[in-house]
Amino acid sequence: QIMCMVPISGFNDMPTLMPSAKAKSLGHLMTWVLLFHVILAVMEFSALSLIDGMFDLIGAVIGYCAIRDPNRYNIYQVLCYCIYTGMDFFWGTVRIVLLAMKMTKIPGTTEWQYKLYIVTVVAGTVFYLIACVVSNLLYRELRKILRELSEAPHAWTPALVEGQPDGQYGAGGQNGGYAPVENSESEFQGQPYKLSSGK
């Protein structure tokens, strides 16, 4: 999990992609997913399920790192969040079965904490499934962008930032495709690319 947030090789080696309109839409949806993820973590802390709360908080940070810059999405961190929530869904399902069979210890010292824990286990499992699906859709869209980029190496031309109708990100090569963004105002590191229209 730590490598998803702070890669050993540095952020410059992690591909950040200019999101398409569909990717941006999924990114906005994932923002809401991350908000609910934080709420779930707070509920788990309140129910004295401290380990679960800590891991959910880490998961939310991974998802945030993936889409923190609206102009650059990190495909590897999106994939990491997808796998993370997929594993949480599996273990959440196992925990529901164990609760139904009364084979697991319930944290908390009061009745309301017990009830809150039950809610977090059931609602959290449903949430993990939704989060996994949304992040998987975003990952597939970003992978499609990356595949188009790799199939059109001739389109890897520097963007013309100034004087272009596409704004600060430029227009790319004559044959269209992805163009590296130069002089981006974003504070985050990494080399972003965007799909430019053919001329």
Side-chain angles (χ1 to χ4, degrees):
Q1 294 93 346
I2 299 300
M3 290 183 64
C4 290
M5 295 182 288
V6 185
I8 295 177
S9 59
F11 287 102
N12 287 329
D13 294 334
M14 302 185 72
T16 54
L17 301 173
M18 294 292 295
S20 61
K22 181 178 179 181
K24 281 190 175 183
S25 178
L26 290 169
H28 290 316
L29 182 58
M30 190 167 166
T31 301
W32 286 101
V33 168
L34 295 175
L35 175 61
F36 282 106
H37 206 157
V38 173
I39 293 175
L40 177 63
V42 172
M43 292 174 62
E44 288 169 336
F45 281 124
S46 300
L48 295 185
S49 182
L50 303 181
I51 301 297
D52 294 333
M54 180 184 67
F55 276 100
D56 275 322
L57 204 56
I58 292 175
V61 171
I62 293 174
Y64 168 75
C65 288
I67 61 171
R68 56 182 177 173
D69 186 342
N71 295 317
R72 305 185 187 185
Y73 288 172
N74 190 299
I75 184 173
Y76 290 158
Q77 289 176 329
V78 171
L79 176 61
C80 187
Y81 183 76
C82 178
I83 296 174
Y84 197 97
T85 52
M87 292 176 61
D88 282 342
F89 170 71
F90 171 77
W91 290 114
T93 303
V94 172
R95 189 170 298 178
I96 289 177
V97 174
L98 293 177
L99 282 174
M101 299 176 64
K102 298 181 179 180
M103 296 177 61
T104 184
K105 183 179 179 180
I106 306 297
T109 57
T110 61
E111 182 178 357
W112 71 268
Q113 288 177 326
Y114 169 81
K115 293 180 179 179
L116 181 60
Y117 176 77
I118 300 297
V119 170
T120 58
V121 170
V122 177
T125 302
V126 175
F127 164 79
Y128 296 140
L129 177 60
I130 296 174
C132 185
V133 170
V134 171
S135 57
N136 182 61
L137 291 174
L138 179 56
Y139 168 72
R140 288 176 177 270
E141 179 64 19
L142 294 176
R143 187 178 64 178
K144 176 183 176 183
I145 293 174
L146 192 60
R147 183 172 61 249
E148 291 175 354
L149 177 61
S150 64
E151 291 175 352
H154 61 278
W156 291 34
T157 55
L160 300 178
V161 178
E162 298 181 357
Q164 294 296 333
D166 294 327
Q168 64 173 328
Y169 299 108
Q174 294 180 350
N175 296 324
Y178 284 83
V181 176
E182 305 291 346
N183 302 325
S184 173
E185 296 179 356
S186 172
E187 61 180 311
F188 302 113
Q189 300 179 7
Q191 178 61 66
Y193 294 89
K194 77 179 288 285
L195 182 63
S196 57
S197 58
K199 299 293 183 181

